[in-house]
Amino acid sequence: MGDVEMPHLNTLSPGEATPRLTIHHDATVDLDSSNAFEGPEKLLEVWFGPSPDDLPATAAPAGLKRVSTETWKEMLDLVNCKVLSVVTSEHVDAYLLSESSMFVFPHKLILKTCGTTTLLSGLPKMLEIAHEWAGFACSLGLRGQGTWATPYRVFYSRKNFLYPDKQRGPHRSWIDEVKFLDKMFVGGSAYMVGKMNGEHWYLYITGPDKSLTPPATPEWEKQVLAASGALMSDGMVDEAAPSPVLEDDETLEMLMTDLDPECAKQFHLDHASAVAADPDHEWVLRAQQDIWKGHDGGDLGNSKDEWLGSNGVHDHDEVDVFAQLCADTEGPVKDVLTTEGHVLGTVVSETSGLSDIYPSSRYPDARIDAYLFTPCGFSANGVIPAPASASSREGNTKAAPATTHYFTVHVTPESHCSYASFETNVPGRQTGRETAEVVEHVLNIFRPGRFSVTLFEAKSNNNNNVHANVVGGPGVGGVFNENGNALAAAARRSARMESIKGYRRVERIVHDLDGYDLVFRYYEREGWKGGAPPRLGEVV
């Protein structure tokens, strides 16, 4: 079976800008997670420009989004993972993989893989693709081949492995990974954050390559530059002025272990199948309606009135999700719905509460692509177009252009190595909720015994905001409390992160990095007995 483009079959309200999903059926055949063991992922971000509007002059207008899925598959073969499905949108393409996720923006690529994947082995091919297909230039600052594009910045991070002796290639130890990266990049910096004899997190980061020449400054950004004093009267950028950063550049990552057994149960195939087979379950009723809402009025083989009863709900006495949602349909919709892992992935997204993290009431064009593995395990990508701001709705040309963010979730529910991760770059200022509230929402889904949170934020040029970032306040750029005191508001948000419901904050570490502030926190659940200590095992 070939690749099939999926209509708006989701539990979120579709709109004109709703991203589209393509499922790669060949990769989902006989996909089995029985041998999965290493939940903690390797995370690589490669930036080729500071923003989608600041691509080098040699780059194609679409940047990395110009690269075809087939070309990316060649790189992913070196990493040892397959593409299950792809959600495409105007600003980002989200790839759901057999081992985690990949996100492709015009100016950067994010690749996150778990298990024994060899993520860094795909990095040279990634740089080659960026040069040959997207037009990003080479320079002497890269210790590689002449066909490798020169990145603007590189970030590589991961948690300490549970079973480091099972890793392959350059991932057998952090030392090996650093050596691999140092051979490729000049001036990289390596860090270990957290206790050497406890839970910790590794980070490798390169500084921005200022030799890359950006194109003409977009009009909307000139307003920001002028306000910061970085734009001179002739329209040129003052190199001596602080480099402006987009206030929304932040990443929140939660890494959770020792999941509550009852919470972990919902990520097993047998449990999700039982939920899906219940004709009275809310998800089944909502799914029936969403098929029609999302299909844009096309022909599914039966009329809508025949499929949905007089009350708008399917009237069949017995509901088999796969039989009823598939047997009564024809054409590409039927092909899509026969992918059991994706159907059950949607069940789990709904019943677990993951789909409510960024609800359709606020993000009407959001899309979640989820997959439930056999016999257990779960992955999901969320593509979250930013809601239209008041200024953009009113036609304000000075407003920053619309963008699309993401979140990704991965779960290894087996009791002996239970693990879950949640990552997002949806700005805290945009959600209407504090970071602590998002964290607590995720914790209620998994109830881990212990977890860490890393908040990675671009620095603001405003000194008050820089200090606010350092104390750990999320989304502080331009956010004031009712008294107009940004520092006080940031301190309140930081204090809120110190008192996560049901958990005790054990550790907080702050790093002042080149262009970014990093706050790392580690928590343990109140009353949790702890069980076995963290599995360290690797040479640091």
Side-chain angles (χ1 to χ4, degrees):
M1 186 181 295
D3 300 341
V4 178
E5 183 174 335
M6 191 173 185
H8 301 277
L9 175 61
N10 65 327
T11 54
L12 299 173
S13 302
E16 293 182 0
T18 304
R20 306 287 290 187
L21 170 66
T22 299
I23 292 178
H24 294 253
H25 289 277
D26 292 343
T28 64
V29 175
D30 298 325
L31 194 59
D32 193 316
S33 67
S34 299
N35 297 321
F37 64 91
E38 186 70 67
E41 303 96 343
K42 313 165 185 82
L43 175 60
L44 176 68
E45 288 197 28
V46 183
W47 292 51
F48 295 93
S51 77
D53 298 294
D54 282 331
L55 300 181
T58 60
L64 295 174
K65 278 178 57 63
R66 181 178 182 272
V67 181
S68 68
T69 298
E70 292 303 314
T71 301
W72 288 128
K73 284 182 178 180
E74 295 177 13
M75 182 271 292
L76 293 171
D77 284 342
L78 301 174
V79 178
N80 292 297
C81 60
K82 302 295 183 183
V83 176
L84 303 183
S85 50
V86 187
V87 174
T88 56
S89 70
E90 180 181 357
H91 303 105
V92 59
D93 296 335
Y95 289 71
L96 196 63
L97 307 178
S98 55
E99 283 83 9
S100 301
S101 302
M102 180 172 76
F103 298 91
V104 180
F105 296 81
H107 66 301
K108 67 179 178 180
L109 182 144
I110 301 171
L111 180 57
K112 188 170 191 172
T113 65
C114 61
T116 57
T117 51
T118 51
L119 184 151
L120 291 179
S121 296
L123 180 54
K125 184 67 174 179
M126 186 187 301
L127 301 180
E128 178 183 309
I129 291 172
H131 173 63
E132 294 183 353
W133 287 84
F136 291 102
C138 308
S139 77
L140 299 178
L142 187 65
R143 293 171 173 165
Q145 306 299 321
T147 57
W148 291 0
T150 301
Y152 173 73
R153 298 203 76 159
V154 175
F155 305 83
Y156 175 70
S157 64
R158 66 170 175 85
K159 179 186 178 295
N160 54 293
F161 287 134
L162 300 176
Y163 303 96
D165 55 307
K166 302 293 181 66
Q167 293 296 319
R168 298 177 292 171
H171 299 289
R172 298 183 187 278
S173 73
W174 177 241
I175 291 177
D176 289 344
E177 290 169 316
V178 172
K179 288 180 179 178
F180 182 94
L181 292 165
D182 277 345
K183 288 179 180 179
M184 294 188 65
F185 305 111
V186 176
S189 301
Y191 303 87
M192 186 185 78
V193 185
K195 296 180 180 178
M196 181 179 292
N197 62 343
E199 297 283 353
H200 51 270
W201 185 75
Y202 297 109
L203 172 67
Y204 184 96
I205 183 173
T206 67
D209 188 341
K210 298 181 179 179
S211 66
L212 299 179
T213 304
T217 305
E219 287 300 320
W220 70 268
E221 190 174 344
K222 286 183 179 180
Q223 306 297 323
V224 179
L225 289 165
S228 66
L231 192 68
M232 296 186 289
S233 59
D234 59 0
M236 300 296 291
V237 175
D238 183 0
E239 297 294 342
S243 299
V245 294
L246 300 181
E247 294 173 346
D248 287 346
D249 184 8
E250 62 181 75
T251 301
L252 170 71
E253 185 179 36
M254 297 175 61
L255 307 178
M256 300 163 278
T257 58
D258 303 280
L259 309 184
D260 181 272
E262 286 301 311
C263 295
K265 186 186 301 182
Q266 60 193 325
F267 300 98
H268 285 256
L269 180 67
D270 55 354
H271 183 273
S273 298
V275 171
D278 181 358
D280 296 321
H281 198 283
E282 179 184 1
W283 181 87
V284 176
L285 306 181
R286 291 168 67 179
Q288 293 165 2
Q289 296 171 330
D290 288 334
I291 290 175
W292 282 99
K293 289 178 182 178
H295 191 58
D296 301 326
D299 181 12
L300 293 180
N302 291 359
S303 70
K304 181 175 180 180
D305 291 339
E306 290 174 347
W307 175 260
L308 299 180
S310 58
N311 60 348
V313 175
H314 190 41
D315 283 339
H316 291 209
D317 293 335
E318 296 182 2
V319 177
D320 181 324
V321 169
F322 307 110
Q324 296 295 344
L325 296 187
C326 300
D328 293 346
T329 64
E330 299 295 338
V333 177
K334 179 175 181 177
D335 291 337
V336 167
L337 294 178
T338 55
T339 305
E340 181 183 42
H342 283 92
V343 175
L344 288 177
T346 305
V347 173
V348 173
S349 293
E350 282 291 337
T351 58
S352 67
L354 286 171
S355 61
D356 296 325
I357 297 176
Y358 301 110
S360 58
S361 59
R362 184 171 180 84
Y363 300 94
D365 294 317
R367 179 59 193 263
I368 297 177
D369 176 20
Y371 192 93
L372 185 69
F373 294 88
T374 301
C376 63
F378 175 84
S379 289
N381 287 340
V383 176
I384 316 294
S389 65
S391 58
S392 62
R393 286 194 300 268
E394 295 167 1
N396 183 356
T397 58
K398 297 181 180 180
T403 188
T404 300
H405 300 96
Y406 72 89
F407 78 84
T408 184
V409 177
H410 302 283
V411 186
T412 302
E414 295 94 327
S415 59
H416 65 285
C417 58
S418 63
Y419 170 85
S421 67
F422 171 82
E423 178 187 341
T424 184
N425 73 338
V426 178
R429 61 163 61 243
Q430 184 180 287
T431 64
R433 297 192 295 175
E434 293 186 2
T435 299
E437 294 178 279
V438 175
V439 168
E440 289 173 345
H441 187 132
V442 175
L443 291 175
N444 286 335
I445 296 171
F446 300 103
R447 283 191 51 78
R450 49 194 168 195
F451 73 97
S452 64
V453 175
T454 55
L455 182 62
F456 216 82
E457 287 187 292
K459 293 177 180 177
S460 168
N461 292 316
N462 184 296
N463 289 334
N464 285 345
N465 288 347
V466 169
H467 179 69
N469 279 346
V470 171
V471 299
V476 295
V479 178
F480 293 81
N481 67 3
E482 59 185 3
N483 296 320
N485 189 329
L487 289 178
R492 175 181 56 79
R493 287 189 295 272
S494 180
R496 181 70 177 82
M497 283 294 294
E498 296 295 301
S499 56
I500 298 297
K501 295 177 182 177
Y503 287 84
R504 177 176 63 93
R505 200 272 293 160
V506 177
E507 196 168 21
R508 186 186 71 168
I509 300 173
V510 177
H511 276 272
D512 183 359
L513 304 173
D514 184 6
Y516 287 86
D517 289 317
L518 167 67
V519 181
F520 171 91
R521 291 180 173 91
Y522 170 67
Y523 302 79
E524 293 182 355
R525 194 171 69 224
E526 293 177 357
W528 181 64
K529 300 302 181 182
R535 184 186 294 270
L536 303 177
E538 61 181 300
V539 178
V540 295

